[in-house]
Amino acid sequence: MKKISRSARRNDVSLKTGGYARYISDLHFEGMLFAATYRSSRARAIIKSISIPQLPEGYCIVDRYDVPGLNRVKMLVNDQPFFAEEQVNYIGEPILLVVGPYREEIEEIISQIEVEYEDLEPVFTMEEAEKSGLIIYGTDNRIVSYELLKGDPEGAFLSADETFEAEYETGLQEHAYIEPQGLVAVFENNRITVYGSMQCPYYVKRALMQGLGWEAGRVRVVQTTTGGAFGGKEDYPSIIAGHAACAAIKTGMPVQIIFERDEDIRYTTKRHPSRIRIRTALDSNGGIAAMDIGIRLDGGAYAGLSSVVLQRAMFAATGVYDIPNVRVRGTVYATNTVPNGAFRGFGGPQAFFAAEMHMQELANRSGENPLDFKMKHAVKKGGHTVTGGLMREDVKLQQMVQELDRISGYSKKYKSFLNTGVGKYRGIGLSLFFHGCAFTGSGEKDLIKAKVRLKKHADGRVEILVSNVEMGQGPQTTLRKIVAEVLEIPLDKVLYDNPDTDRVPDSGPTVASRTVVIVGFLLQEAAKKLKKQYNSVVELEVERKYEQPAYVQWDQDNFRGDAYPVYSWGVNAVEVEVDPVTLVATVKGVWGVYDVGTPIDEKIIRGQIEGGMVQGLGYASMEVMEGANGKMRQGTLTDYIIPTPVDFPGMKIKLIDNSYEFGPFGAKCAGELPFVGAAPAFASAVQHALGVPVWKIPVTPEYLMEVVDGEDTNCSQW
Amino acid sequence: MKIRIVLNGKPAVIDTDPTRRLLDILRNDYNLTGVKEGCGEGECGACSVLIDGRIANSCIVPAGAVEGSEIITIEGYRETARYRALRDAFEEAGAVQCGFCTPGFIMAAEALLRENANPGEDDIRRALSGNLCRCTGYSMIIDAVKIASAGGKELW
């Protein structure tokens, strides 16, 4: 193990174990008022009138007329209002806030508000969005549509010996961070300051600048200790920051918005549901000649980050396999449901579920061990990605699957578990996957343009000034380690506070597994620069800006070239036991081998891997979230079930060191990757145990009953 | 209604509506913000406290139900040697990420170890099953309790 990989002391542990750490709901501001949101009860309707009861003294309403700037939440497209205007487009869309000193009174006022609606016909499913002819978004209900081509898929299908087609489906997933969404806005000296639980202080800042119509100098955003996020606090805090800010400006008092759990589950962003169809052309030797892939994502009522989620899904559409001829078409449909957004993996988990289950089925049809079949088609150094990019890095998949096979006994179990037919059914499943590190395409260079600073204080301590946040994933340890290691100073001489946009440059959002590989690398470079003068100057600030490695070639218009500068890789095996009567699948073993470059702190990486895999196993097996007529059926942690300590066994994890030249001390990305492979490994284990194909997740016993009874019809005509 | 309790070792009299949530009393009246609200429905365990030595979700305990009880929150517990053993074990095992659930897990671990100083893995998983963590996947928390149990022989 390299020195940098040895686990360091996390400086946030004793603050958190002892309950000293202050999260947003623990902070009190003098005179602070509370706000709660009045939401649409209709999926699609014109607001005819709003009737507000007589308000007690000290209470007020904040609505669209209180937004001083543009009533649109700044994301990629300006389509989502902070507060509804003439029309509402999903159940739960914010219409107004009630603000005042007591929560109980606020709830009472909310219960007396009456809105008169004129209902419009809504669209609830992707199928309706595509086919019903009813237009609810743009001209064709498509938030975005893309196509990419590799080789000559048309020609390959014409000369194919055989084709195989299937469709895969994935469901909604709720982040279920244990700390609900929350922010406090303070209006003082003609400036607004927002404190809160968030991943992207500068996203929030820019959303406030647009919503308030104020210049940068009047808007300050400070991240507070954040109790989990997983993508759920990437885009959503921008909305409630606007709400709280407008309320603080109107009342002149600090205003707190903390979501109730049911509000958080029902009305904040979720993982996009997907329907992915893959048609494969096989040549006369049974090899894969081409794939034609159609990806459909349900975006919900507004565009949000859906276009980039779709891009990441498309760039993972053929999994880790180097398929010579490919067409990928992707569409995000609008529906009158809660807008979907960022969630760990960001389109990757949906695409990998489809690709891995498809490859599993192709292996089953060929009679080969899936591991051997998959490795025959896996990309190698010098091969090409689905966007035609050259695979420059050393791909260690062969070594990784060998290690996985050794620790899990996959190949042996795959054979010996077949056709036991007695007692409980056993099965073992496998997945191979990657995660493209950092922003998709030219995002880092053209959109983010990260900037970091290091400040040497007079007492010799060095402070990291970046906008990236600690939300549990460990950067306040890993980034400090990188700087301390370069400067050869003790770790406790490196400081890194929660970011405050008045103090830190915009090093980009805390998303896309980019914090270590992009921001950490810039900090390493900055530290090298600082080191030259560390002993000769008393105080000094050095800055470093992102420069794209020269080898990266990307054509955003045609999706050609290097979609990512580098990839992290994983292989998983999951073993299950399925009860033949109840069809409950119990996980008996979980194994993972990962290449995340050189790990910066093995303990933190293990935490990311185990946490990510358990989230992924929850997604695969138990996390059911469904809408019915635009309304979420689940609204509590009693009916939206996430994994508990008794649901999955401990897992065995191995790391393969594969140093990356443009990562700090050779590190690549790690945060999202471990989520990606769990679902296909679990689902293929169930498939192996029961001997029936599994097309969708979550794989619940109810779904398996349908499959076993032959009621699940794959490849519906849609 | 006047409710007498012993809170973190000190006698206290709370004059309050007996239907008020214990969680709100602890957080708002006593500023004991280490007790977290994650769900408000007794599912997540972030608000766990010890009531007469037993683990309880303070978000579903009405004030009237704790008359005469001894309540220990993380703020009281963190002054003990047992806490320090658990803290060190949580650090060693890498059991802390975002931290929002952590005080609740510490209290649940204490509730287990005071009943069973040498729990096996299944005992630990069952004892902590009323607490949710979305970051770690639990195994490192389980390891932490094992480490504390092994190293804290004289404590529990």
Side-chain angles (χ1 to χ4, degrees), chain A residues 375-511:
Chain A
M375 282 312 294
K376 230 166 48 183
H377 296 93
V379 68
K380 298 181 185 69
K381 186 176 184 171
H384 290 88
T385 67
V386 72
T387 53
L390 178 66
M391 188 52 76
R392 291 177 185 79
E393 62 189 278
D394 200 2
V395 178
K396 303 228 177 192
L397 279 175
Q398 188 60 49
Q399 185 186 342
M400 291 165 70
V401 295
Q402 275 168 3
E403 183 65 12
L404 184 78
D405 207 18
R406 191 182 68 76
I407 60 175
S408 69
Y410 175 84
S411 293
K412 244 185 265 160
K413 289 175 181 171
Y414 183 76
K415 243 203 247 162
S416 66
F417 288 172
L418 284 177
N419 304 320
T420 49
V422 194
K424 291 196 176 183
Y425 302 140
R426 283 236 163 188
I428 189 159
L430 172 76
S431 64
L432 279 56
F433 51 99
F434 61 61
H435 188 77
C437 298
F439 262 63
T440 296
S442 51
E444 294 288 344
K445 177 167 75 82
D446 295 335
L447 301 175
I448 303 301
K449 301 172 188 163
K451 219 190 268 179
V452 308
R453 263 183 236 136
L454 278 179
K455 183 175 182 175
K456 187 199 168 194
H457 292 278
D459 61 7
R461 293 189 299 175
V462 174
E463 185 173 2
I464 292 174
L465 296 169
V466 298
S467 58
N468 300 88
V469 312
E470 174 71 71
M471 49 190 173
Q473 86 286 30
Q476 287 188 343
T477 304
T478 50
L479 295 185
R480 285 169 56 244
K481 275 179 81 173
I482 290 164
V483 171
E485 186 72 18
V486 174
L487 291 171
E488 299 178 86
I489 58 176
L491 191 56
D492 60 10
K493 297 269 189 223
V494 183
L495 312 174
Y496 175 5
D497 279 340
N498 291 340
D500 169 347
T501 58
D502 272 9
R503 295 195 66 234
V504 302
D506 185 359
S507 58
T510 316
V511 306

Side-chain angles (χ1 to χ4, degrees), chain A residues 9 16-18 20 23 25-26 174-175 227-228 261 472 603 606-608 611 615 623 636-638 643 645, chain B residues 27 36 38 41 43 74 78 83 87 91-92 96-100 103 125 128 134-136 138-140 143:
Chain A
R9 233 183 127 83
K16 289 172 174 175
T17 52
Y20 299 98
Y23 298 79
S25 58
D26 304 330
E174 158 61 21
H175 306 83
R261 178 58 64 181
K603 203 185 283 173
R606 188 181 154 209
Q608 287 303 294
Q615 257 178 21
E623 296 186 26
T636 69
L637 291 173
T638 310
Chain B
R27 285 182 58 85
K36 304 296 182 197
E41 60 191 25
E43 279 292 335
I74 189 68
R78 72 192 180 199
Y83 163 74
R87 174 198 65 196
E91 176 167 335
E92 187 186 335
V96 178
Q97 290 192 35
C98 88
F100 200 78
R125 287 188 180 270
L128 302 186
R134 192 60 154 166
C135 295
T136 63
Y138 301 107
S139 289
M140 295 166 98
D143 290 349

Side-chain angles (χ1 to χ4, degrees), chain A residues 639-650:
Chain A
D639 51 23
Y640 185 74
I641 307 294
I642 64 170
T644 73
V646 295
D647 292 311
F648 300 109

Side-chain angles (χ1 to χ4, degrees), chain A residues 639-660:
Chain A
D639 51 23
Y640 185 74
I641 307 294
I642 64 170
T644 73
V646 295
D647 292 311
F648 300 109
M651 46 188 76
K652 288 201 173 58
I653 306 297
K654 296 272 178 188
L655 298 175
I656 303 283
D657 192 328
N658 186 11
S659 186
Y660 170 50

